Amino acid sequence: MEAVFAIAVGVVFGAGIWLILRPRTFQFITGLLLMSYAVNLFIFAMGRLWVDKPPITPAPGIDPAQFADPLPQGLVLTAIVIGFATTALYLVMMIGARGLSGSDHVDGEEPRQ
């Protein structure tokens, strides 16, 4: 299961890198989003993925190693919120740059043919 998850994270991160190298700003922003999602999944996976196990149990005398670690979950939640804010900032900057230059090319002008 871990190998399949690692491959999925790698594919999402690789797709993000491919999109960052594209010449349009919308593709660039989408690539940044995919890379941030891949990093969030990686951090979440580092907290041990358990199925049908509660994260916190108040019962005394139970080994805490049997439960999921809540710290990576909190880190991922924080990263998602920050990712939404930065994405909104990128989109506003992209719309402004397109309005000023008349193009959504990353260099600000269309390539000459």
Side-chain angles (χ1 to χ4, degrees):
M1 182 65 175
E2 291 86 9
V4 172
F5 189 76
I7 290 172
V9 169
V11 167
V12 170
F13 197 85
I17 290 175
W18 183 79
L19 284 170
I20 280 180
L21 298 175
R22 303 296 299 161
R24 303 281 176 203
T25 53
F26 184 74
Q27 294 169 343
F28 180 80
I29 291 172
T30 306
L32 287 176
L33 283 172
L34 284 177
M35 287 176 57
S36 69
Y37 293 154
V39 169
N40 289 342
L41 288 172
F42 176 74
I43 292 171
F44 189 70
M46 292 298 102
R48 292 176 282 149
L49 296 174
W50 296 103
V51 178
D52 297 331
K53 301 258 184 177
I56 299 172
T57 301
I62 294 188
D63 183 22
Q66 296 177 348
F67 303 106
D69 186 10
L71 181 64
Q73 296 171 9
L75 289 174
V76 168
L77 181 61
T78 304
I80 289 170
V81 170
I82 292 171
F84 282 140
T86 55
T87 301
L89 175 67
Y90 291 152
L91 288 174
V92 167
M93 290 176 60
M94 180 186 75
I95 291 170
R98 181 175 171 94
L100 291 174
S101 68
S103 171
D104 67 340
H105 200 272
V106 292
D107 293 334
E109 58 187 41
E110 294 293 327
R112 297 171 200 223
Q113 305 222 5

